[in-house]
């Protein structure tokens, strides 16, 4: 083959699905393409396997979790090659923002980061036509992933990802890249959001509140895809909003995923305090992060760990108790 197989590795949410669809539309005409939609737990293995096989990775809306993976990429990557990783998460930017093989921009979702890079660097007519056709979907994904709330249809698109699964919506965007929903899609998404409101009401009755610091929802109350909308509801509309909202979910492998949402970047700082790269993994950006705990943790232990990290972070950033007046007292 003139070009090695391209392995698109992307996230499983609307942002990741939109990014993978964009990459497929751009590249599938002139090379073989493999697609993996995955999470933070497997991304390291997929990147290293791809590089070891002599294939070309294209990583979207994700970043590796282990220092060893970054070190290995640094050894293998030739500075003259094009970047292969496009992400937007704040935790990624703070640690690896200077890597030449990565394009990281916290101002946009992962799909839009890649779309903007292609617009600047791929000038052929076919790619520009693909970018124009998919631009509305990129903006919908951006509205959803950054919590902008400016496009009501972004919630409907996320509902479809939840109902149809990431692979179902990827297939839809590969076949039909337009942002307009069909009557069937629109009806299904609207019905889902109505049922979602009922789940939200139930979840509000089963929140573990720790004062004004943390609202923790246990496994089994909400469904995949509910998290962002529910946490936004708690953070923005509650009479006494917590500083962090967290939702626990038991994964099929037996370990735990805890999604966190906040304002003013607190969730990202909690992530940085708790993530050790061994037992507790995670990723995300300032106000939308996820922690992955081993299976032996209880929900009470996860809640208490997050609460302890919130308090450590608050103490570390507390305003000084001494005023300028106090400092100058006695000097007059």
């Amino acid at each position: 083959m003139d070009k090695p197989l391209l392995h698109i590795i992307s996230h499983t949410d609307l942002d990741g699905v939109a990014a993978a669809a964009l990459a497929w539309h751009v590249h599938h005409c002139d090379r073989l393409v493999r697609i993996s939609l995955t999470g933070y737990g497997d991304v390291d293995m997929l990147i290293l396997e791809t590089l070891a096989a002599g294939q070309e990775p294209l990583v979207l809306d994700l970043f590796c979790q282990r220092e060893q993976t970054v070190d290995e990429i640094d050894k293998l990557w030739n500075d003259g090659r094009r970047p292969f990783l496009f992400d937007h998460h704040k935790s990624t930017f703070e640690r690896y923002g200077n890597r030449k093989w990565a394009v990281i921009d916290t101002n946009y979702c992962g799909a839009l980061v890649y779309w903007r890079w292609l617009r600047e660097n791929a000038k052929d007519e076919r790619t520009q036509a693909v970018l124009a056709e998919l631009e509305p979907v990129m903006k919908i994904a951006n509205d959803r992933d950054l919590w902008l709330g400016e496009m009501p249809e972004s919630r409907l698109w996320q509902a479809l990802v939840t109902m149809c699964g990431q692979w179902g919506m990827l297939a839809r965007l590969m076949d039909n890249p337009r942002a307009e929903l069909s009557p069937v899609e629109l009806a299904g998404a609207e019905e889902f959001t109505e049922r979602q409101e009922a789940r939200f009401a139930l979840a509000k009755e089963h929140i573990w509140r720790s004062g004004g610091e943390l609202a923790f929802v246990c496994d089994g109350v909400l469904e995949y895809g509910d998290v962002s909308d529910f946490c936004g509801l708690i953070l923005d509309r509650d009479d006494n909003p917590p500083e962090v909202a967290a939702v626990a979910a038991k994964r099929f492998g037996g370990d735990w995923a805890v999604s966190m949402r906040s304002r003013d970047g607190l969730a990202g700082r909690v992530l940085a305090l708790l993530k050790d790269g061994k037992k507790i993994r995670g990723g995300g950006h300032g106000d939308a992060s996820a922690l992955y705990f081993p299976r032996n943790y209880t929900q009470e232990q996860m809640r208490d760990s997050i609460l302890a990290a919130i308090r450590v972070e608050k103490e570390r950033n507390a305003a000084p108790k001494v005023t300028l007046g106090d400092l100058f007292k006695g000097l007059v």
Side-chain angles (χ1 to χ4, degrees):
M1 293 186 293
D2 292 337
K3 296 181 179 180
L5 180 143
L6 179 69
H7 187 184
I8 300 168
I9 303 168
S10 193
H11 206 188
T12 56
D13 60 2
L14 176 59
D15 186 11
V17 170
L22 170 62
W24 183 85
H25 278 286
V26 168
H27 295 290
H28 81 280
C29 289
D30 61 357
R31 65 195 306 179
L32 293 178
V33 174
R34 173 188 173 191
I35 299 177
S36 295
L37 299 180
T38 187
Y40 291 102
D42 294 324
V43 65
D44 291 72
M45 175 191 67
L46 289 169
I47 292 174
L48 293 178
E49 284 182 350
T50 302
L51 291 171
Q55 300 167 355
E56 184 177 341
L58 176 57
V59 184
L60 306 167
D61 193 35
L62 284 170
F63 201 88
C64 36
Q65 296 294 292
R66 298 180 178 89
E67 292 283 355
Q68 301 94 313
T69 308
V70 176
D71 292 340
E72 189 65 22
I73 295 171
D74 285 340
K75 293 176 187 176
L76 295 172
W77 199 253
N78 183 323
D79 285 348
R81 300 170 68 182
R82 287 154 56 118
F84 76 92
L85 189 144
F86 299 84
D87 195 14
H88 70 113
H89 294 101
K90 184 178 180 182
S91 57
T92 304
F93 178 79
E94 289 174 344
R95 297 180 66 186
Y96 308 111
N98 62 341
R99 293 309 200 275
K100 293 182 179 180
W101 42 264
V103 176
I104 303 167
D105 190 336
T106 59
N107 295 306
Y108 306 97
C109 74
L112 201 52
V113 169
Y114 184 48
W115 184 94
R116 288 169 58 85
W117 185 87
L118 286 170
R119 186 181 62 180
E120 295 300 320
N121 293 276
K123 301 298 186 181
D124 60 285
E125 291 184 5
R126 197 188 77 80
T127 299
Q128 293 299 316
V130 169
L131 295 178
E133 188 170 36
L134 277 163
E135 182 177 5
V137 172
M138 300 299 107
K139 290 182 176 179
I140 288 172
N142 191 67
D143 181 85
R144 175 66 189 184
D145 211 65
L146 299 190
W147 294 31
L148 301 180
E150 298 170 355
M151 305 175 71
E153 61 267 37
S154 68
R155 184 177 181 185
L156 299 178
W157 269 89
Q158 182 60 41
L160 291 172
V161 173
T162 305
M163 290 188 295
C164 303
Q166 62 265 30
W167 291 107
M169 290 310 294
L170 177 62
R172 191 280 197 189
L173 285 171
M174 291 164 71
D175 177 65
N176 172 16
R178 291 185 294 276
E180 294 80 13
L181 298 178
S182 71
V184 171
E185 291 170 336
L186 181 61
E190 289 178 339
E191 181 182 347
F192 175 86
T193 56
E194 290 176 4
R195 295 199 311 270
Q196 192 178 54
E197 291 296 335
R199 291 196 297 274
F200 287 178
L202 180 63
K204 291 181 74 172
E205 298 176 0
H206 292 82
I207 291 177
W208 291 351
R209 285 296 297 255
S210 301
E213 295 168 314
L214 176 66
F216 189 96
V217 181
C218 291
D219 178 48
V221 181
L222 297 174
E223 295 183 5
Y224 171 78
D226 287 346
V227 174
S228 289
D229 283 313
F230 179 75
C231 290
L233 180 73
I234 295 299
L235 292 169
D236 295 333
R237 300 186 207 168
D238 195 89
D239 292 336
N240 181 29
E243 294 173 277
V244 175
V247 179
K250 190 83 166 179
R251 304 208 299 174
F252 285 117
D255 61 337
W256 292 96
V258 180
S259 299
M260 298 185 296
R261 299 292 186 270
S262 70
R263 298 290 181 258
D264 302 319
L266 181 55
R269 297 195 295 275
V270 168
L271 166 74
L273 284 170
L274 292 178
K275 185 176 73 169
D276 59 19
K278 298 175 182 178
K279 289 184 178 181
I280 302 175
R281 305 186 313 277
H285 41 85
D287 287 324
S289 301
L291 287 164
Y292 300 90
F293 290 87
R295 66 177 67 200
N296 60 306
Y297 272 70
T298 66
Q299 296 189 84
E300 289 86 352
Q301 288 173 320
M302 294 185 295
R303 175 199 61 190
D304 293 345
S305 297
I306 295 170
L307 184 59
I310 291 172
R311 290 174 177 170
V312 167
E313 180 62 25
K314 287 172 63 178
E315 289 176 6
R316 188 165 66 179
N317 291 282
K321 298 293 189 292
V322 179
T323 67
L324 287 174
D326 295 328
L327 292 175
F328 289 121
K329 196 175 294 183
L331 295 179
V332 179

